[in-house]
Amino acid sequence: MYRGTHCIIRTIEVDDAPALSALYDPKRPRAALLDARRELAPPTMDELRTALGTTADQGLGMLHAIEDLEGRVLGFGSLRHTPKDHHFALLSLMLLEDRDCASPLGNEACGFLLVEAFQHKLFSKVLAQAFEWEQSLRELLLLRGFTSDGTQRDVLHSSGRWHNMETLTVRRPALGPAAA
């Protein structure tokens, strides 16, 4: 568990299923919740509880609950990678309220995930994705050093139209002469 200045970050638990379920809004899907086919497939509450109840983390990324200092769950974050490629990870930062991305809490949560990626997991780069309506997430990522790799057109069909998704990347900071 990480207790910071603005948030508490801990491993997700079965009781977090209702808060996680609230992120699956079909009117405003999140890029981080698309499945492998680039579709939004909202799980049932039972499916979420079952998935969260399994403790077998196969090295594909841990899902963290992000709480305020009073213990209210405000969102979730994770780093995912495939076993075949240990050089980069996909960062998912999903806060229940967009305004939290622009807050010190969002900045601290993103920083925690980047420290985890670069200092503990030793990834060389981290990717993140955002739909056009995830502007506050995009701004936070840019603030944390991410740069745009471009926009994928017509990734998701929702609410009667196609939507674009931007991919952003940050590389591990170069080690200075002192580290050599």
Side-chain angles (χ1 to χ4, degrees):
M1 180 167 76
Y2 166 84
R3 184 173 184 87
T5 306
H6 304 286
C7 65
I8 298 168
I9 301 176
R10 61 172 174 75
T11 303
I12 196 166
E13 300 168 353
V14 174
D15 292 341
D16 295 322
L20 186 57
S21 176
L23 292 171
Y24 284 91
D25 181 358
K27 294 178 184 165
R28 200 162 173 233
R30 295 169 188 265
L33 295 176
L34 296 183
D35 65 14
R37 296 176 304 206
R38 302 273 174 119
E39 296 175 355
L40 184 67
T44 66
M45 191 62 68
D46 286 340
E47 289 170 334
L48 275 177
R49 283 192 176 103
T50 300
L52 296 178
T54 59
T55 57
D57 173 37
Q58 302 166 347
L60 300 177
M62 291 282 295
L63 186 59
H64 302 281
I66 301 165
E67 301 177 339
D68 63 12
L69 297 177
E70 287 78 41
R72 290 182 299 260
V73 176
L74 300 180
F76 302 91
S78 73
L79 293 166
R80 294 180 306 186
H81 68 281
T82 62
K84 296 175 186 160
D85 192 346
H86 293 286
H87 301 291
F88 73 92
L90 180 63
L91 178 141
S92 299
L93 181 59
M94 304 166 290
L95 298 173
L96 294 166
E97 299 291 332
D98 289 338
R99 68 178 178 264
D100 287 333
C101 282
S103 74
L105 179 141
N107 191 32
E108 187 172 37
C110 188
F112 167 85
L113 292 170
L114 291 174
V115 166
E116 189 72 18
F118 293 132
Q119 292 181 10
H120 299 156
K121 304 281 188 193
L122 302 178
F123 293 120
S124 59
K125 69 179 177 178
V126 173
L127 306 172
Q129 297 174 319
F131 284 117
E132 59 263 19
W133 54 81
E134 294 180 288
Q135 192 62 31
S136 57
L137 172 62
R138 182 183 183 279
E139 289 170 6
L140 172 60
L141 295 171
L142 292 172
L143 177 72
R144 297 301 306 204
F146 283 77
T147 57
S148 178
D149 285 341
T151 300
Q152 300 169 44
R153 305 283 178 215
D154 301 335
V155 171
L156 175 73
H157 192 269
S158 174
S159 301
R161 63 183 277 267
W162 286 97
H163 302 282
N164 303 329
M165 183 172 66
E166 184 176 14
T167 300
L168 300 105
T169 302
V170 65
R171 297 192 180 281
R172 181 181 2 204
L175 299 176

